[in-house]
């Protein structure tokens, strides 16, 4: 019994592949919808995985023990934007008062950013992130120094024209060489490079990506690019450990409300941010990609399935006499049914393989600009979707073929 079923399966597959080989152009055109659908689902999956990995790398730089005090919240807010925008700036004077009163943090550093053109000889790095902070930056982040040193407290307070350079900026201006003491022009002011940061390799940090920065003392920032009394800054606070974060947040809120002269009736006019705020932003991006990608996938698979079903009906019509001969010499219904389901599944599997190869090629190209990550499970999912789509599409034509009367089929011209 088993050998008979195995023979029928082999025979069905052989006939199915013969039919595909005899109609190559038709099979290829039929698979286009499947190709597009599989390409879409794979690209969506690798993009989401890549974004998640890049986000986790970025969060590693910031540190889970960190709390950020800012004028604006990270992620969504239940308050209208104009209300948040009209909050008074968080100034350097606020930072100084907080620093004197806080007892729980292990390290605190203020920071503010601007964009300037950095030049060295004939090389230019457009829109360089100029990051003004104090000498405790390395203690309040997980960023590591690669070469040289960071600026000192004395250099910070005196507003020295010195800088520590991120890896991407250094590569754009100097190529492979890393020379300490070299001077770089930032908006007409020469800065002595005293150190280089290790390459972080993340693209999900925006203005806080160390690879894109030139870090200068915050007093130097105020001297050349910002007004110390009114400029908006951020405060980066590091707790002693994850278990102390909530206590640090409570202390921050109490001190900042006192500094900002808020009464018990007043809401906070500042935001205490953590990585969860960035997670909500990333989740929003991922959801848009997921909805768009899966919509294209669903539509493409539907169009492809309908196309395959129509082609299979045509194939049944063309091979009516062949079906009659097979049934006349003893082929059972299940053998005919299996033959056409195998054929439609094989066509879809071919489309799935082509779509998979196209998605892998496109993901390598996209990876040059945005992060992607290919997981083995995605490849299995793509091929499974192809086979299932083919099987479902072939059921109706296969059933039509299986129920043909052999006498009527043999008369068909």
């Amino acid at each position: 019994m088993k050998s008979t079923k195995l023979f029928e399966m082999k025979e069905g597959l052989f006939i199915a592949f013969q039919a595909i080989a005899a109609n190559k152009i038709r099979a290829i055109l039929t698979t286009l919808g499947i190709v597009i659908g599989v390409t879409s689902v794979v690209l969506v999956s690798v993009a989401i995985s890549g974004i998640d990995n890049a986000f986790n790398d970025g969060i590693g730089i910031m540190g889970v023990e960190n709390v950020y005090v800012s004028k604006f919240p990270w992620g969504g807010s239940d308050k209208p934007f104009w209300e948040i925008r009209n909050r008074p700036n968080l100034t350097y004077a606020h930072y100084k008062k907080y620093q004197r009163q806080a007892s729980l943090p292990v390290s605190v550093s203020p920071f503010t950013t601007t964009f300037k053109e950095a030049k060295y000889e004939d090389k230019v790095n457009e829109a360089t992130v100029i990051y003004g902070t104090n000498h405790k930056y390395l203690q309040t982040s997980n960023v590591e120094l690669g070469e040289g040193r960071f600026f000192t407290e004395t250099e910070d307070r005196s507003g020295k024209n010195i800088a520590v350079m991120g890896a991407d900026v250094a590569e754009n201006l100097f190529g492979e060489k890393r020379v300490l003491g070299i001077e770089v022009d930032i908006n007409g002011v020469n800065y002595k490079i005293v150190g280089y940061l290790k390459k972080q390799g993340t693209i999900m940090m925006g203005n806080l990506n160390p690879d894109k920065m030139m870090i200068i003392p915050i007093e130097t920032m105020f001297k050349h690019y910002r007004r110390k009394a009114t400029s908006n800054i951020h405060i980066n606070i590091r707790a002693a450990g994850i278990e102390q974060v909530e206590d640090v947040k409570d202390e921050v809120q109490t001190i900042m409300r006192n500094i900002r002269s808020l009464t018990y009736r007043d809401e906070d006019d500042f935001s205490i941010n953590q990585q969860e705020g960035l997670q909500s932003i990333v989740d929003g991006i991922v959801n848009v990609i997921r909805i768009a990608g899966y919509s294209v996938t669903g539509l493409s698979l539907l169009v492809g399935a309908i196309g395959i079903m129509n082609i299979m009906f045509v194939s049944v019509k063309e091979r009516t006499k062949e079906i009659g001969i097979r049934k006349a010499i003893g082929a059972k219904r299940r053998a005919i049914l299996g033959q056409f389901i195998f054929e439609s599944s094989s066509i879809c599997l071919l489309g799935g393989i082509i779509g998979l190869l196209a998605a892998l090629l496109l993901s390598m190209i996209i990876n040059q600009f945005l992060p992607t990550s290919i997981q083995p499970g995605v490849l299995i999912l793509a091929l499974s979707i192809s086979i299932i789509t083919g099987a479902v599409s072939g059921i109706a034509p296969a059933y039509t073929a299986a129920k043909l009367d052999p006498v009527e089929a043999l008369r068909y011209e």
Side-chain angles (χ1 to χ4, degrees), residues 23-56:
N23 298 279
K24 297 184 185 70
I25 302 299
R26 187 168 71 184
I28 291 170
L29 292 175
T30 306
T31 61
L32 282 179
I34 307 300
V35 170
I36 295 170
V38 169
T39 302
S40 300
V41 75
V42 173
L43 286 179
V44 167
S45 298
V46 299
I48 290 173
S49 298
I51 290 171
D52 283 341
N53 291 342
F55 175 73
N56 290 331

Side-chain angles (χ1 to χ4, degrees), residues 29-270:
L29 292 175
T30 306
T31 61
L32 282 179
I34 307 300
V35 170
I36 295 170
V38 169
T39 302
S40 300
V41 75
V42 173
L43 286 179
V44 167
S45 298
V46 299
I48 290 173
S49 298
I51 290 171
D52 283 341
N53 291 342
F55 175 73
N56 290 331
D57 290 342
I59 287 299
I61 293 170
M62 299 179 69
V64 293
E65 307 92 349
N66 285 50
V67 172
Y68 292 80
V69 185
S70 305
K71 176 179 177 178
F72 295 95
W74 295 352
S77 173
D78 55 356
K79 294 181 174 61
F81 176 74
W82 62 265
E83 185 177 319
I84 296 173
R85 183 193 59 194
N86 290 336
R87 289 173 172 178
N89 283 345
L90 190 69
T91 66
Y92 189 68
H94 293 143
Y95 154 73
K96 296 297 286 185
K97 289 178 182 178
Y98 168 76
Q99 183 191 39
R100 286 194 294 268
Q101 297 179 44
S103 60
L104 295 179
V106 293
S107 186
V108 182
S109 65
F111 69 91
T112 185
T113 61
T114 188
F115 294 91
K116 300 294 177 184
E117 185 180 81
K119 294 190 294 185
Y120 175 74
E121 295 180 346
D122 60 339
K123 300 289 181 64
V124 176
N125 193 78
E126 304 268 353
T128 309
V129 180
I130 309 302
Y131 188 96
T133 186
N134 69 0
H135 60 287
K136 292 186 177 180
Y137 170 74
L138 294 179
Q139 286 78 48
T140 51
S141 70
N142 290 339
V143 178
E144 295 181 41
L145 198 63
E147 297 178 40
R149 63 178 179 86
F150 208 74
F151 49 80
T152 64
E153 183 177 3
T154 302
E155 290 169 329
D156 176 27
R157 288 182 174 178
S158 60
K160 289 282 188 181
N161 291 348
I162 58 177
V164 177
M165 187 176 285
D168 288 354
V169 182
E171 185 175 343
N172 290 341
L173 293 180
F174 311 137
E176 294 299 318
K177 70 177 180 179
R178 298 289 183 272
V179 181
L180 295 172
I182 201 166
E183 290 195 343
V184 171
D185 180 290
I186 303 176
N187 204 43
V189 180
N190 286 332
Y191 287 81
K192 181 181 177 181
I193 306 303
V194 297
Y196 296 91
L197 299 177
K198 282 186 178 178
K199 187 171 181 64
Q200 307 302 316
T202 179
I203 69 168
M204 294 298 292
M205 296 299 294
N207 295 351
L208 302 182
N209 184 354
D211 293 339
K212 309 292 184 185
M213 292 178 182
M214 283 187 66
I215 304 175
I216 64 174
I218 196 165
E219 292 288 354
T220 309
M221 175 75 87
F222 292 140
K223 184 166 67 175
H224 295 300
Y225 313 118
R226 290 276 190 260
R227 290 187 177 181
K228 186 173 184 177
T230 58
S231 292
N232 185 55
I233 67 160
H234 311 265
I235 305 174
N236 185 3
I237 304 160
R238 171 155 285 195
I242 298 175
E243 59 278 0
Q244 276 80 46
V245 168
E246 289 304 317
D247 292 336
V248 168
K249 286 171 65 178
D250 290 341
E251 184 186 60
V252 168
Q253 186 177 32
T254 301
I255 294 174
M256 290 305 300
R257 285 183 63 85
N258 181 54
I259 291 171
R260 307 272 271 191
S261 301
L262 300 176
T263 70
Y264 71 92
R265 294 189 185 91
D266 298 324
E267 293 184 353
D268 292 347
D269 60 357
F270 55 91

